[in-house]
Amino acid sequence: MPARARSLGLICGSLPPGPLNAITDVAGVRVGHRTIRDGDIQTGFTAILPHGDDPFREKLRAGVDVINGFGKSAGLVQVAELGQIETPLLLGNTLSVGTGFNALVTRALAANPDIGRTTGTVNPVVLECNDGFLSDIRARVLTENDAFAALDAATVGPVEEGAVGGGTGISAFGFKGGIGTASRLLRLDGKDYTLGVLVQANFGNAGDLVLPDGRRPVPPAMPHAAVPERGSVIIVVATDIPMESRQLTRVARRCGAGLARLGAFWGNGSGDIALAFSTAGRISHHERADLAPMVVLNENRIDLPFRAAAEATQEAVLNAMLAAPAVAGRDGHARPSLADVLARS
């Protein structure tokens, strides 16, 4: 089993993790990957399904915060305006956004014959990081079938981390980056709630990483390693706490605190985006009532999910890096494993 932050004594914050310490601790959330590793090609898709039903028919409240907007994601404008998601989320590489968009449209049209006829269109959400350092991004190998494979592989339970799916070819702080996840448990009005985070970690300058115990591991000197900070990080937050979209946007913004704890400063060329959704209180596409009832978090209690988002983001990034082995890819470019460096220190 790959190392995780907690197994190495790297504790992020004070709130307890969920049973899996993963975004799938939020009931109904599923994650799947499609991974391609073949020499110069190190890439893939990661899919996040927010619940087990058709998200176009049963939408969820959502919010998005663009920490630094050097990115090519699709669907975020409508999420920011309407405060809803209505498709699964796909995480791929920068030049696969259109492919992911088409795949989500294909699935939505197949499930909903009324789209574009008697009802509106659909807003696919596709998020991306540039994996071009380790993978031949110009080859554009990812297809709709790869996106379908990630969607179809999505399951509840433990989440595979590291160099998988949309994390296959990415880097973080000069080490191999990847997909990572973590969760936090919260108590509100005497009931247990969960907030989970999944990251696609592709950001940070070599030498800037700060571990929770204060260590600052530096990757060993490698050819091609000294490049400017032009990465990205995608952060997806899921929670079963009832919140409205404005509150979810505020929670998403606090993920930046988790990145900062690690030493990130959100460089000029970095696409750093956080999207948060709540599985509580679905929105029916064909709601008939003029006024719909809604239960939301008391704003005076929102510091607790703020803290949970920061802590889980910090830990998810560490889990992504620790699970990722050393990788050699395009043109001999390589990234070392953080776990290997820590084991030797």
PDB file of all heavy atoms in Angstrom, residues 123-153:
ATOM      1  N   ASN A 123     -24.653  21.664 -18.873  1.00  0.00           N
ATOM      2  CA  ASN A 123     -23.410  22.362 -18.565  1.00  0.00           C
ATOM      3  C   ASN A 123     -22.376  21.378 -18.003  1.00  0.00           C
ATOM      4  O   ASN A 123     -22.284  21.184 -16.792  1.00  0.00           O
ATOM      5  CB  ASN A 123     -23.654  23.480 -17.544  1.00  0.00           C
ATOM      6  CG  ASN A 123     -22.381  24.276 -17.258  1.00  0.00           C
ATOM      7  OD1 ASN A 123     -21.737  24.774 -18.166  1.00  0.00           O
ATOM      8  ND2 ASN A 123     -22.026  24.384 -15.976  1.00  0.00           N
ATOM      9  N   PRO A 124     -21.577  20.750 -18.866  1.00  0.00           N
ATOM     10  CA  PRO A 124     -20.538  19.836 -18.370  1.00  0.00           C
ATOM     11  C   PRO A 124     -19.436  20.608 -17.652  1.00  0.00           C
ATOM     12  O   PRO A 124     -19.068  21.710 -18.060  1.00  0.00           O
ATOM     13  CB  PRO A 124     -20.001  19.177 -19.638  1.00  0.00           C
ATOM     14  CG  PRO A 124     -20.969  19.517 -20.723  1.00  0.00           C
ATOM     15  CD  PRO A 124     -21.588  20.814 -20.332  1.00  0.00           C
ATOM     16  N   VAL A 125     -18.906  20.016 -16.608  1.00  0.00           N
ATOM     17  CA  VAL A 125     -17.787  20.621 -15.883  1.00  0.00           C
ATOM     18  C   VAL A 125     -16.561  19.736 -16.067  1.00  0.00           C
ATOM     19  O   VAL A 125     -16.550  18.570 -15.658  1.00  0.00           O
ATOM     20  CB  VAL A 125     -18.103  20.804 -14.392  1.00  0.00           C
ATOM     21  CG1 VAL A 125     -16.886  21.363 -13.655  1.00  0.00           C
ATOM     22  CG2 VAL A 125     -19.290  21.747 -14.217  1.00  0.00           C
ATOM     23  N   VAL A 126     -15.544  20.302 -16.713  1.00  0.00           N
ATOM     24  CA  VAL A 126     -14.278  19.606 -16.957  1.00  0.00           C
ATOM     25  C   VAL A 126     -13.155  20.490 -16.425  1.00  0.00           C
ATOM     26  O   VAL A 126     -13.089  21.676 -16.749  1.00  0.00           O
ATOM     27  CB  VAL A 126     -14.064  19.310 -18.459  1.00  0.00           C
ATOM     28  CG1 VAL A 126     -12.822  18.448 -18.659  1.00  0.00           C
ATOM     29  CG2 VAL A 126     -15.292  18.641 -19.063  1.00  0.00           C
ATOM     30  N   LEU A 127     -12.284  19.916 -15.632  1.00  0.00           N
ATOM     31  CA  LEU A 127     -11.191  20.636 -15.003  1.00  0.00           C
ATOM     32  C   LEU A 127      -9.870  20.034 -15.464  1.00  0.00           C
ATOM     33  O   LEU A 127      -9.818  18.870 -15.866  1.00  0.00           O
ATOM     34  CB  LEU A 127     -11.336  20.567 -13.489  1.00  0.00           C
ATOM     35  CG  LEU A 127     -12.687  21.109 -12.978  1.00  0.00           C
ATOM     36  CD1 LEU A 127     -13.071  20.462 -11.655  1.00  0.00           C
ATOM     37  CD2 LEU A 127     -12.643  22.613 -12.832  1.00  0.00           C
ATOM     38  N   GLU A 128      -8.794  20.825 -15.404  1.00  0.00           N
ATOM     39  CA  GLU A 128      -7.565  20.355 -16.048  1.00  0.00           C
ATOM     40  C   GLU A 128      -6.308  20.828 -15.362  1.00  0.00           C
ATOM     41  O   GLU A 128      -6.282  21.846 -14.680  1.00  0.00           O
ATOM     42  CB  GLU A 128      -7.544  20.822 -17.503  1.00  0.00           C
ATOM     43  CG  GLU A 128      -7.664  22.344 -17.708  1.00  0.00           C
ATOM     44  CD  GLU A 128      -6.367  23.104 -17.574  1.00  0.00           C
ATOM     45  OE1 GLU A 128      -5.281  22.469 -17.672  1.00  0.00           O
ATOM     46  OE2 GLU A 128      -6.410  24.324 -17.354  1.00  0.00           O
ATOM     47  N   CYS A 129      -5.247  20.028 -15.568  1.00  0.00           N
ATOM     48  CA  CYS A 129      -3.883  20.421 -15.266  1.00  0.00           C
ATOM     49  C   CYS A 129      -3.016  20.077 -16.473  1.00  0.00           C
ATOM     50  O   CYS A 129      -3.314  19.137 -17.212  1.00  0.00           O
ATOM     51  CB  CYS A 129      -3.342  19.685 -14.035  1.00  0.00           C
ATOM     52  SG  CYS A 129      -4.036  20.231 -12.463  1.00  0.00           S
ATOM     53  N   ASN A 130      -1.943  20.810 -16.654  1.00  0.00           N
ATOM     54  CA  ASN A 130      -1.035  20.581 -17.775  1.00  0.00           C
ATOM     55  C   ASN A 130      -0.031  19.491 -17.402  1.00  0.00           C
ATOM     56  O   ASN A 130       0.810  19.688 -16.521  1.00  0.00           O
ATOM     57  CB  ASN A 130      -0.307  21.885 -18.119  1.00  0.00           C
ATOM     58  CG  ASN A 130       0.527  21.776 -19.381  1.00  0.00           C
ATOM     59  OD1 ASN A 130       0.988  20.707 -19.763  1.00  0.00           O
ATOM     60  ND2 ASN A 130       0.725  22.911 -20.041  1.00  0.00           N
ATOM     61  N   ASP A 131      -0.117  18.343 -18.070  1.00  0.00           N
ATOM     62  CA  ASP A 131       0.815  17.251 -17.788  1.00  0.00           C
ATOM     63  C   ASP A 131       1.933  17.160 -18.829  1.00  0.00           C
ATOM     64  O   ASP A 131       2.578  16.122 -18.995  1.00  0.00           O
ATOM     65  CB  ASP A 131       0.084  15.913 -17.664  1.00  0.00           C
ATOM     66  CG  ASP A 131      -0.695  15.519 -18.914  1.00  0.00           C
ATOM     67  OD1 ASP A 131      -0.494  16.140 -19.968  1.00  0.00           O
ATOM     68  OD2 ASP A 131      -1.517  14.576 -18.821  1.00  0.00           O
ATOM     69  N   GLY A 132       2.194  18.273 -19.533  1.00  0.00           N
ATOM     70  CA  GLY A 132       3.117  18.255 -20.656  1.00  0.00           C
ATOM     71  C   GLY A 132       4.576  18.069 -20.312  1.00  0.00           C
ATOM     72  O   GLY A 132       5.384  17.799 -21.210  1.00  0.00           O
ATOM     73  N   PHE A 133       4.978  18.220 -19.043  1.00  0.00           N
ATOM     74  CA  PHE A 133       6.378  17.992 -18.688  1.00  0.00           C
ATOM     75  C   PHE A 133       6.727  16.513 -18.763  1.00  0.00           C
ATOM     76  O   PHE A 133       7.777  16.131 -19.286  1.00  0.00           O
ATOM     77  CB  PHE A 133       6.667  18.532 -17.286  1.00  0.00           C
ATOM     78  CG  PHE A 133       8.105  18.363 -16.852  1.00  0.00           C
ATOM     79  CD1 PHE A 133       9.096  19.190 -17.347  1.00  0.00           C
ATOM     80  CD2 PHE A 133       8.457  17.373 -15.946  1.00  0.00           C
ATOM     81  CE1 PHE A 133      10.422  19.032 -16.958  1.00  0.00           C
ATOM     82  CE2 PHE A 133       9.770  17.206 -15.556  1.00  0.00           C
ATOM     83  CZ  PHE A 133      10.759  18.038 -16.053  1.00  0.00           C
ATOM     84  N   LEU A 134       5.835  15.660 -18.269  1.00  0.00           N
ATOM     85  CA  LEU A 134       6.091  14.217 -18.264  1.00  0.00           C
ATOM     86  C   LEU A 134       5.395  13.478 -19.399  1.00  0.00           C
ATOM     87  O   LEU A 134       5.740  12.334 -19.681  1.00  0.00           O
ATOM     88  CB  LEU A 134       5.641  13.607 -16.930  1.00  0.00           C
ATOM     89  CG  LEU A 134       6.479  13.964 -15.703  1.00  0.00           C
ATOM     90  CD1 LEU A 134       5.832  13.410 -14.437  1.00  0.00           C
ATOM     91  CD2 LEU A 134       7.902  13.440 -15.840  1.00  0.00           C
ATOM     92  N   SER A 135       4.412  14.099 -20.032  1.00  0.00           N
ATOM     93  CA  SER A 135       3.635  13.416 -21.060  1.00  0.00           C
ATOM     94  C   SER A 135       3.615  14.249 -22.344  1.00  0.00           C
ATOM     95  O   SER A 135       3.648  15.483 -22.299  1.00  0.00           O
ATOM     96  CB  SER A 135       2.204  13.183 -20.571  1.00  0.00           C
ATOM     97  OG  SER A 135       1.467  12.385 -21.467  1.00  0.00           O
ATOM     98  N   ASP A 136       3.522  13.571 -23.470  1.00  0.00           N
ATOM     99  CA  ASP A 136       3.433  14.264 -24.756  1.00  0.00           C
ATOM    100  C   ASP A 136       2.004  14.782 -24.924  1.00  0.00           C
ATOM    101  O   ASP A 136       1.162  14.137 -25.540  1.00  0.00           O
ATOM    102  CB  ASP A 136       3.814  13.325 -25.893  1.00  0.00           C
ATOM    103  CG  ASP A 136       3.815  14.026 -27.247  1.00  0.00           C
ATOM    104  OD1 ASP A 136       3.548  15.250 -27.296  1.00  0.00           O
ATOM    105  OD2 ASP A 136       4.057  13.351 -28.264  1.00  0.00           O
ATOM    106  N   ILE A 137       1.753  15.966 -24.395  1.00  0.00           N
ATOM    107  CA  ILE A 137       0.400  16.514 -24.412  1.00  0.00           C
ATOM    108  C   ILE A 137      -0.057  16.832 -25.835  1.00  0.00           C
ATOM    109  O   ILE A 137      -1.251  16.801 -26.142  1.00  0.00           O
ATOM    110  CB  ILE A 137       0.314  17.753 -23.490  1.00  0.00           C
ATOM    111  CG1 ILE A 137      -1.142  18.106 -23.163  1.00  0.00           C
ATOM    112  CG2 ILE A 137       1.060  18.942 -24.093  1.00  0.00           C
ATOM    113  CD1 ILE A 137      -1.278  19.144 -22.072  1.00  0.00           C
ATOM    114  N   ARG A 138       0.913  17.107 -26.729  1.00  0.00           N
ATOM    115  CA  ARG A 138       0.557  17.408 -28.118  1.00  0.00           C
ATOM    116  C   ARG A 138      -0.024  16.189 -28.841  1.00  0.00           C
ATOM    117  O   ARG A 138      -0.725  16.340 -29.847  1.00  0.00           O
ATOM    118  CB  ARG A 138       1.783  17.918 -28.880  1.00  0.00           C
ATOM    119  CG  ARG A 138       2.229  19.317 -28.483  1.00  0.00           C
ATOM    120  CD  ARG A 138       3.513  19.696 -29.221  1.00  0.00           C
ATOM    121  NE  ARG A 138       3.323  19.665 -30.674  1.00  0.00           N
ATOM    122  CZ  ARG A 138       2.910  20.699 -31.402  1.00  0.00           C
ATOM    123  NH1 ARG A 138       2.646  21.854 -30.807  1.00  0.00           N
ATOM    124  NH2 ARG A 138       2.790  20.593 -32.710  1.00  0.00           N
ATOM    125  N   ALA A 139       0.248  15.010 -28.338  1.00  0.00           N
ATOM    126  CA  ALA A 139      -0.274  13.803 -28.989  1.00  0.00           C
ATOM    127  C   ALA A 139      -1.787  13.694 -28.846  1.00  0.00           C
ATOM    128  O   ALA A 139      -2.440  13.018 -29.645  1.00  0.00           O
ATOM    129  CB  ALA A 139       0.395  12.558 -28.406  1.00  0.00           C
ATOM    130  N   ARG A 140      -2.341  14.323 -27.826  1.00  0.00           N
ATOM    131  CA  ARG A 140      -3.798  14.351 -27.598  1.00  0.00           C
ATOM    132  C   ARG A 140      -4.403  12.943 -27.699  1.00  0.00           C
ATOM    133  O   ARG A 140      -5.328  12.684 -28.462  1.00  0.00           O
ATOM    134  CB  ARG A 140      -4.478  15.312 -28.571  1.00  0.00           C
ATOM    135  CG  ARG A 140      -4.023  16.758 -28.379  1.00  0.00           C
ATOM    136  CD  ARG A 140      -4.950  17.742 -29.008  1.00  0.00           C
ATOM    137  NE  ARG A 140      -4.962  17.627 -30.459  1.00  0.00           N
ATOM    138  CZ  ARG A 140      -5.798  18.297 -31.252  1.00  0.00           C
ATOM    139  NH1 ARG A 140      -6.702  19.099 -30.723  1.00  0.00           N
ATOM    140  NH2 ARG A 140      -5.741  18.164 -32.556  1.00  0.00           N
ATOM    141  N   VAL A 141      -3.861  12.061 -26.873  1.00  0.00           N
ATOM    142  CA  VAL A 141      -4.273  10.658 -26.964  1.00  0.00           C
ATOM    143  C   VAL A 141      -5.598  10.370 -26.262  1.00  0.00           C
ATOM    144  O   VAL A 141      -6.239   9.355 -26.542  1.00  0.00           O
ATOM    145  CB  VAL A 141      -3.185   9.724 -26.389  1.00  0.00           C
ATOM    146  CG1 VAL A 141      -1.891   9.867 -27.158  1.00  0.00           C
ATOM    147  CG2 VAL A 141      -2.974   9.989 -24.902  1.00  0.00           C
ATOM    148  N   LEU A 142      -6.012  11.235 -25.342  1.00  0.00           N
ATOM    149  CA  LEU A 142      -7.231  10.953 -24.589  1.00  0.00           C
ATOM    150  C   LEU A 142      -8.459  11.069 -25.488  1.00  0.00           C
ATOM    151  O   LEU A 142      -8.626  12.040 -26.225  1.00  0.00           O
ATOM    152  CB  LEU A 142      -7.355  11.901 -23.398  1.00  0.00           C
ATOM    153  CG  LEU A 142      -6.369  11.641 -22.255  1.00  0.00           C
ATOM    154  CD1 LEU A 142      -6.433  12.752 -21.222  1.00  0.00           C
ATOM    155  CD2 LEU A 142      -6.628  10.291 -21.607  1.00  0.00           C
ATOM    156  N   THR A 143      -9.332  10.072 -25.400  1.00  0.00           N
ATOM    157  CA  THR A 143     -10.533   9.996 -26.228  1.00  0.00           C
ATOM    158  C   THR A 143     -11.773  10.025 -25.357  1.00  0.00           C
ATOM    159  O   THR A 143     -11.704   9.895 -24.125  1.00  0.00           O
ATOM    160  CB  THR A 143     -10.536   8.705 -27.051  1.00  0.00           C
ATOM    161  OG1 THR A 143     -10.666   7.581 -26.141  1.00  0.00           O
ATOM    162  CG2 THR A 143      -9.253   8.558 -27.861  1.00  0.00           C
ATOM    163  N   GLU A 144     -12.930  10.144 -26.005  1.00  0.00           N
ATOM    164  CA  GLU A 144     -14.182  10.046 -25.262  1.00  0.00           C
ATOM    165  C   GLU A 144     -14.297   8.698 -24.566  1.00  0.00           C
ATOM    166  O   GLU A 144     -14.819   8.607 -23.449  1.00  0.00           O
ATOM    167  CB  GLU A 144     -15.377  10.263 -26.196  1.00  0.00           C
ATOM    168  CG  GLU A 144     -15.563  11.709 -26.630  1.00  0.00           C
ATOM    169  CD  GLU A 144     -16.861  11.916 -27.387  1.00  0.00           C
ATOM    170  OE1 GLU A 144     -17.914  11.445 -26.908  1.00  0.00           O
ATOM    171  OE2 GLU A 144     -16.820  12.530 -28.471  1.00  0.00           O
ATOM    172  N   ASN A 145     -13.820   7.640 -25.191  1.00  0.00           N
ATOM    173  CA  ASN A 145     -13.883   6.323 -24.558  1.00  0.00           C
ATOM    174  C   ASN A 145     -13.057   6.278 -23.278  1.00  0.00           C
ATOM    175  O   ASN A 145     -13.416   5.576 -22.321  1.00  0.00           O
ATOM    176  CB  ASN A 145     -13.416   5.234 -25.526  1.00  0.00           C
ATOM    177  CG  ASN A 145     -14.468   4.902 -26.578  1.00  0.00           C
ATOM    178  OD1 ASN A 145     -15.663   5.112 -26.354  1.00  0.00           O
ATOM    179  ND2 ASN A 145     -14.030   4.393 -27.707  1.00  0.00           N
ATOM    180  N   ASP A 146     -11.953   7.028 -23.231  1.00  0.00           N
ATOM    181  CA  ASP A 146     -11.183   7.109 -21.996  1.00  0.00           C
ATOM    182  C   ASP A 146     -11.978   7.821 -20.909  1.00  0.00           C
ATOM    183  O   ASP A 146     -11.948   7.414 -19.735  1.00  0.00           O
ATOM    184  CB  ASP A 146      -9.861   7.837 -22.240  1.00  0.00           C
ATOM    185  CG  ASP A 146      -8.923   7.060 -23.136  1.00  0.00           C
ATOM    186  OD1 ASP A 146      -8.810   5.839 -22.971  1.00  0.00           O
ATOM    187  OD2 ASP A 146      -8.306   7.679 -24.037  1.00  0.00           O
ATOM    188  N   ALA A 147     -12.677   8.871 -21.289  1.00  0.00           N
ATOM    189  CA  ALA A 147     -13.533   9.560 -20.322  1.00  0.00           C
ATOM    190  C   ALA A 147     -14.650   8.637 -19.845  1.00  0.00           C
ATOM    191  O   ALA A 147     -14.957   8.576 -18.639  1.00  0.00           O
ATOM    192  CB  ALA A 147     -14.114  10.822 -20.941  1.00  0.00           C
ATOM    193  N   PHE A 148     -15.273   7.904 -20.783  1.00  0.00           N
ATOM    194  CA  PHE A 148     -16.320   6.957 -20.397  1.00  0.00           C
ATOM    195  C   PHE A 148     -15.766   5.902 -19.433  1.00  0.00           C
ATOM    196  O   PHE A 148     -16.443   5.501 -18.479  1.00  0.00           O
ATOM    197  CB  PHE A 148     -16.901   6.258 -21.631  1.00  0.00           C
ATOM    198  CG  PHE A 148     -17.593   7.158 -22.608  1.00  0.00           C
ATOM    199  CD1 PHE A 148     -17.621   6.848 -23.964  1.00  0.00           C
ATOM    200  CD2 PHE A 148     -18.221   8.326 -22.193  1.00  0.00           C
ATOM    201  CE1 PHE A 148     -18.252   7.667 -24.874  1.00  0.00           C
ATOM    202  CE2 PHE A 148     -18.861   9.167 -23.101  1.00  0.00           C
ATOM    203  CZ  PHE A 148     -18.879   8.828 -24.447  1.00  0.00           C
ATOM    204  N   ALA A 149     -14.533   5.451 -19.691  1.00  0.00           N
ATOM    205  CA  ALA A 149     -13.928   4.431 -18.831  1.00  0.00           C
ATOM    206  C   ALA A 149     -13.761   4.947 -17.409  1.00  0.00           C
ATOM    207  O   ALA A 149     -14.000   4.210 -16.436  1.00  0.00           O
ATOM    208  CB  ALA A 149     -12.581   3.990 -19.407  1.00  0.00           C
ATOM    209  N   ALA A 150     -13.342   6.213 -17.254  1.00  0.00           N
ATOM    210  CA  ALA A 150     -13.211   6.792 -15.923  1.00  0.00           C
ATOM    211  C   ALA A 150     -14.574   6.897 -15.248  1.00  0.00           C
ATOM    212  O   ALA A 150     -14.723   6.572 -14.057  1.00  0.00           O
ATOM    213  CB  ALA A 150     -12.545   8.161 -16.009  1.00  0.00           C
ATOM    214  N   LEU A 151     -15.577   7.340 -15.986  1.00  0.00           N
ATOM    215  CA  LEU A 151     -16.925   7.454 -15.433  1.00  0.00           C
ATOM    216  C   LEU A 151     -17.450   6.088 -15.003  1.00  0.00           C
ATOM    217  O   LEU A 151     -18.040   5.932 -13.927  1.00  0.00           O
ATOM    218  CB  LEU A 151     -17.861   8.084 -16.463  1.00  0.00           C
ATOM    219  CG  LEU A 151     -17.601   9.561 -16.794  1.00  0.00           C
ATOM    220  CD1 LEU A 151     -18.302   9.949 -18.095  1.00  0.00           C
ATOM    221  CD2 LEU A 151     -18.065  10.466 -15.656  1.00  0.00           C
ATOM    222  N   ASP A 152     -17.239   5.076 -15.845  1.00  0.00           N
ATOM    223  CA  ASP A 152     -17.760   3.744 -15.559  1.00  0.00           C
ATOM    224  C   ASP A 152     -16.999   3.049 -14.435  1.00  0.00           C
ATOM    225  O   ASP A 152     -17.524   2.123 -13.798  1.00  0.00           O
ATOM    226  CB  ASP A 152     -17.718   2.873 -16.824  1.00  0.00           C
ATOM    227  CG  ASP A 152     -18.662   3.362 -17.909  1.00  0.00           C
ATOM    228  OD1 ASP A 152     -19.616   4.092 -17.577  1.00  0.00           O
ATOM    229  OD2 ASP A 152     -18.452   3.020 -19.086  1.00  0.00           O
ATOM    230  N   ALA A 153     -15.759   3.483 -14.186  1.00  0.00           N
ATOM    231  CA  ALA A 153     -14.952   2.883 -13.123  1.00  0.00           C
ATOM    232  C   ALA A 153     -15.252   3.486 -11.754  1.00  0.00           C
ATOM    233  O   ALA A 153     -14.750   2.990 -10.734  1.00  0.00           O
ATOM    234  CB  ALA A 153     -13.460   3.054 -13.436  1.00  0.00           C
TER     235      ALA A 153
END
